[in-house]
Structure formats: C-alpha cells, structure tokens
Amino acid sequence: MQYSLGIDAGGTYTDAVIVRNSDRKVVDSNKALTTYPDLLTGIENAIDGLNSKHLPDVKLVSVSTTLATNTILEKTGYPVALILIGKHTLPANPPISDYIVVKGGHNVAGTEDETLDIETVKEYALKMKDRVSAFAVSSYFSIRNPDHEIRIKEMLTELTGLPIVCGHELSQDLGAYDRGVTAYLNAQLLPIADQFIHAIITDIKKRGIDAKLMMLKCDGSVIGIHEAMERPIESIFSGPAASLMGASFLSKNDTCAVIDVGGTSTDVSLNHNGLPELVDTGAVVGGWHTKVKAIRMETSAMGGDSHVWVKNRNINIGPRRVMPLCLAAVKYPGFMDQLRSGRTPSRVQLAENIQPTKFFVRTGKKAPNLSSFEEQLLATIGEEPVSINDIFWKMGTPISADQIDALIQKRLVQAIGFTPTDVLHVLGEYTKWSRDASLTGAKILARLTPMNENELCLHIKKEVAINMALDLMGFIFKGVEKSEIEKIIRGEFFSQFKVNVPVVLLGGPVHSYVEELGKLIEANIIVPEHAEVGNAVGALVGKGVKSIEILIKSFYKKAKRSIVVFSPVERREFVSHAEALEYANEIGNRLIMEYMINSGIKAEDISIDIKREDITMAEESGAPIETRLLFLGTGMPKAESKE
C-alpha cells in the first residue's frame, strides 16, 4: 500500500494528513501549533503525531507554507540589488534601497529602444556584489524581447556568481516596474526557501521516506521542489489556495465557495469547474504589487484566535491574534491563579492591550538590534504570563502599547487573551483545552458590558458568523460596497442573500457556525469530513497547471510587412503567418512540457489545451493582423511506484 503526505504550515496551526493513494481516502491527520520563526519545528511536531507505520510507504509529499508571505510582511528578506533597464515609471519614493536605472530596453514591437548600457551595470555590480545575496533585473518591454535581461543575467552570473532573477522569467504581463518588484522579492526569498526546503528534505529522509516532493503555489497548482527553490515568490498566499483545493476535494464539488476560518483570519475564495478564480492584476502582499498569479480572495482579520476586547462597553474582535485563555491555562500551570486574581483596569484605561484578560509571555530569546529599554522590557516579561499592570510594577515605569507591540512583531513576545475559541469552550461546543479558563475570562469581560457571560459569548459567536457571511457576499458581489452588504445581512428584512453554489466551511470547529450562518444566508452549507485539516489535504491534491500566452503580430514599415512571434523566451520574425503559427504552436507546447516535467509530472500525465483568438483580418492577405494563443497545460502529480 502506498500513501501521500500533505503538510500546511499556517499562521496558527501546522496540519499534516496521510492519504491512501488507492482510493484517495484520508487515513490519518494531526494538528500542531505553528512555530516562529522556524516553521520546521511545527512541521516536525505535526508529522510526529501521525501513525508512523504509514510513513515508509509515503511516495508523494506536498507542502504549503506561509514562509514567503511572512518574510515579506515582516521585511526579513535577504539584501538584493535591483537593476532596471529602460524607461521605467518609478513611484515617488521607491521602497527599494538598492537599485539602479540604466539605458536600454525595447518597445512594443520588441525592437531595441536604446542601446544597453552594460558597462554601468558592470560597475554597479562590482560595487554591490559583496553587500547583497542576489540581483534582480527588469527591462522595459522584456515581455516583447528579453534580450537585455538575458545579457545582463549572463554577465552578472559570470562576474559575481550570485543568483540572478529576471522579470520575464516570472511574468509575461505588462508593467516593467512591477515585474522588477516581483523579481526583487523573489530574489530576497531565495536563501530562505533554500534553507527551508533543504530542512524539509532532510527531515523527510530521516524518517525513511523516499518520495517525490512538491509545493503548492498561490494559484492552487503544484510545482516540483527544485522549481519551488527558484520561484519562492509563487508560494505567497499558498495557504488560502490550499484551503480552496482541499475544500473542493473533501466536499467532492468542482464548483464551490469556500470559507476558511483559521486562527488568524477568515478567507473566502471560489472554485469553478475545478479551477480557482485568479486575480487579474497580480497578488498584493505587504504593500508590494506583484505580477504573481494568485487566487482571488476576500479576507478579514477575524479568526478563532482573534483577540476579544472591550472599550466603552463595546465588544471588539481582532484584528490581532492572541493565544486563547483555554490554551494558556494548559501550557502555563500557574496561569489560572493570575487570571482569577488579575486587577481590572478602570474603564478609562481600557484599550486593546489593557484588558483584565490580556497577558504577555516571552517566547523568543534575546534578538539583535534591541534598544536598551526593549531589552529591559523583554527581561521583565518572563516565561510565565504577566499583565501590563504586572510589567508596570516590576519596571516602575509606564508601558505603552507600541513598546510591547514592537516585541510581538519581532516574535519575542506572545500575547494571551479571550478569543472566539474561548467562546466555543464556554458554550460547550469545542472543549479541546481548559473550559474553566474560558469561563473565567468570559465572566471577567462580561462585567464590562451590559451582558452576562452566556449572552456575551452568544453575541461574539453571532458576530463571527456575520463576518463569515459578509466576507462571502463581499467576494460574490465584487465591486459592491461592503457597508451596503452589511446593512442587508444585519437588517430585519423579509428576504436574505441566496448563494447558488455550495458553501464549504474549513477550519477547526467550523461546525459550530453552520446554524448561525444559515440564519444569515440561504445556501447549501457543507462541513466535510476532515474539515479541520482541509489545508493540508489541499496541499496534496493540487494539479500541476501552467499557462503561456504567445502573441503573433503583424508590423508594417515602409509598406513592408513582417510577422513577429513574441514568446516568453524570445522574439522571432517570419515572412508568413502560417510559418509564425507553426513555430508558435511548437514552442508553446515545448515550454509547457518542459515546465511540467521539471515540476515532477510525467509526460503521459500532461494534457495541453490551446485557445486561439484572431483579431482583425488584413484585407490584402486575409491573414490575422494579431493572433493570441493561450496554452494551458494540466497534469496530476503521481506518487512514484517503487514496487
């Protein structure tokens, strides 16, 4: 018997599942807390909780991870120098510290706009090569002719020996500066991806697993591990992509909407006929607009571990994630005494970080570049939870929220507080950890509101369900103001929203929200078996997908017609449309096959669909002035049979 192993390292939990290859059934699963900054520890813990008897027979391993997203958001990528060639339009204050703009680039016809100033690039590279880990290159209209990017890459490789990432290698979309940003971010991630993937490979081999290793991309497709090392930028938002693929697989619905309630956020996306809806303009992460194709999603900062806090008798949920009280009571034996005896701040003092149920605990060792005050603050926050009032009495000086937040962002301190997970513990609908801690926290917070603890918890549960409905309808009604959608969801009308596709819920205790969500929208709401580890399943069931667009375009100069083929690898001229079309079909098929085979998919498992669009016919020849060919390759990675 052979098996496949799926792993998803999410923002709060790392999930692992084992699927039997013969009937595609989940035979074992496990959840472990995600570990920062070293995700590998959480992955090891998740795999350790699986039945080890299956592991030697695992022949396919697929991973989705938040590593790329977190690195960009936390600005912890490696130093990179960006080389921009040609007439780039830069923002007023580019957020990239090391870059240069040199002469060169091409025009829309793919002919040279300016001669490439390769000597200036060489001087810059010699100055920067000992200060950076890689170079990124983006040339104006390289999607019409990548020659200048290729020449710079060859020169830099020989001169520096460092990795070089070109914009045309990652995207064929218009936008030279955004292609440069995409190449820049990808180059920042290369060493991190290399370390992470090698650590995964080492751990897999240590367990006696000899398997094909894949990684999920943010468009819901999978990629071979060696290709993933070269294109780590394509794994941003692979978590939501994993939830979409997992939900479709577990619910057996090729077309469905998915609501994934994680610890940190709620994500909504849509699968249609087995393929996810993608963002037309590219993924945006941490303020960077990339050219990476990602699934379209509606996301909100409200999840199972969102902090519930009270201000002016109003109940707020999120946007920050904390450790639930119920989990803290299990993890820290003395925590219950602190929770019961904690001082309740005055109503004037109440703020997000000043709550009778808010505590802090040190989770990381001393880090470099801390101020003397931060070092003192970190030393005061020990390995047992303390409140902000405790910190004040120990240090003898007022503490601001920003000062604690700085340590939280550096992953040195973990916040603890009341959460929707605690709510479900109080209501008896999910009792994995300490219900006593959750109930104690609910009673303390309820004193700050007009409600008792049960009313408080029912109110919070309803608000989480409203947020789920709002995210779903906001996704479906693209372009409609969410404030208008919210009026309908919260209003008392003789009507409600109806969703015409199945709505699949993923996440830990999402079954608790089915009834409440059903009161807000009319839909076929499904909680499939293994919904709590749907992302790990999704990491495993993604298809290999590759699309390539090739343009055939006629140009006239002095009554002479030339026909040009623009492909991702070169620009080539022909004398007839028929010759150009034959070449375009040949290179399109070849590029798809090469990519898919390099991604670990066998040639016999690859299918290629070609769509052709002719735009305007030339009067004299009857041939199209412009032809677009879209090649879509698909294939399911299969475990290697060793029998």
Side-chain angles (χ1 to χ4, degrees), residues 89-165:
T89 302
L90 274 65
N93 296 297
I96 299 170
S97 56
D98 295 316
Y99 72 95
I100 187 174
V101 183
V102 301
K103 291 182 178 179
H106 294 77
N107 57 32
V108 68
T111 56
E112 193 173 68
D113 209 24
E114 284 185 307
T115 301
L116 177 60
D117 186 0
I118 201 164
E119 288 302 316
T120 298
V121 176
K122 186 180 292 184
E123 292 174 11
Y124 180 70
L126 289 172
K127 183 177 72 172
M128 298 299 298
K129 70 182 184 71
D130 295 327
R131 294 166 46 187
V132 298
S133 63
F135 287 89
V137 186
S138 179
S139 180
Y140 198 70
F141 267 116
S142 63
I143 61 169
R144 293 289 183 260
N145 192 335
D147 177 62
H148 286 183
E149 287 187 8
I150 292 170
R151 286 170 58 191
I152 291 295
K153 181 173 183 175
E154 290 173 348
M155 185 270 290
L156 291 176
T157 300
E158 184 177 346
L159 188 67
T160 70
L162 294 173
I164 316 297
V165 181

Side-chain angles (χ1 to χ4, degrees), residues 334-548:
F335 178 65
M336 279 302 302
D337 290 337
Q338 280 187 288
L339 181 61
R340 291 191 183 102
S341 61
R343 172 182 169 270
T344 299
S346 70
R347 296 183 185 275
V348 176
Q349 289 178 304
L350 287 174
E352 201 275 339
N353 269 336
I354 305 176
Q355 295 285 306
T357 52
K358 186 74 176 280
F359 297 84
F360 307 92
V361 64
R362 189 169 68 209
T363 56
K365 298 178 181 178
K366 181 179 176 181
N369 303 320
L370 292 181
S371 67
S372 58
F373 183 84
E374 285 178 324
E375 290 181 352
Q376 183 185 3
L377 180 57
L378 186 60
T380 304
I381 302 173
E383 296 181 358
E384 291 294 324
V386 292
S387 67
I388 201 165
N389 190 58
D390 296 329
I391 298 171
F392 166 73
W393 286 109
K394 287 182 179 181
M395 293 186 64
T397 182
I399 307 299
S400 73
D402 290 344
Q403 290 166 331
I404 291 183
D405 287 343
L407 296 181
I408 293 174
Q409 289 173 359
K410 293 174 182 177
R411 310 287 182 184
L412 299 174
V413 168
Q414 166 75 59
I416 298 168
F418 193 75
T419 68
T421 298
D422 289 299
V423 165
L424 297 184
H425 276 71
V426 173
L427 298 175
E429 297 176 11
Y430 180 70
T431 53
K432 184 175 181 179
W433 296 302
S434 170
R435 183 175 183 271
D436 188 22
S438 298
L439 185 57
T440 301
K443 289 178 178 179
I444 293 171
L445 279 185
R447 296 173 195 152
L448 306 175
T449 75
M451 303 178 235
N452 62 35
E453 63 270 17
N454 195 62
E455 293 169 335
L456 173 72
C457 289
L458 289 173
H459 170 82
I460 294 168
K461 181 184 174 184
K462 183 178 180 180
E463 287 299 310
V464 172
I466 288 173
N467 183 71
M468 293 165 66
L470 181 59
D471 284 349
L472 175 63
M473 303 319 301
F475 178 92
I476 291 174
F477 292 119
K478 186 178 178 181
V480 179
E481 290 291 333
K482 289 189 76 171
S483 58
E484 298 302 310
I485 296 173
E486 187 171 4
K487 287 179 185 177
I488 297 173
I489 290 175
R490 290 187 180 275
E492 296 290 339
F493 303 109
F494 293 110
S495 182
Q496 65 180 162
F497 287 119
K498 180 181 179 181
V499 182
N500 294 327
V501 297
V503 177
V504 183
L505 305 188
L506 286 191
V510 286
H511 60 273
S512 298
Y513 294 100
V514 172
E515 183 179 350
E516 200 71 52
L517 184 61
K519 296 175 184 177
L520 302 169
I521 60 171
E522 182 183 340
N524 176 22
I525 302 172
I526 301 170
V527 180
E529 187 180 8
H530 306 296
E532 70 282 359
V533 290
N535 286 27
V537 174
L540 199 55
V541 300
K543 295 179 180 178
V545 179
K546 178 65 175 178
S547 64
I548 290 175

Side-chain angles (χ1 to χ4, degrees), residues 16-18 26-31 46 49-50 530 532-533:
V17 297
I18 294 178
V26 176
V27 298
D28 198 11
S29 65
N30 187 45
K31 297 177 76 72
L50 297 172
H530 306 296
E532 70 282 359
V533 290

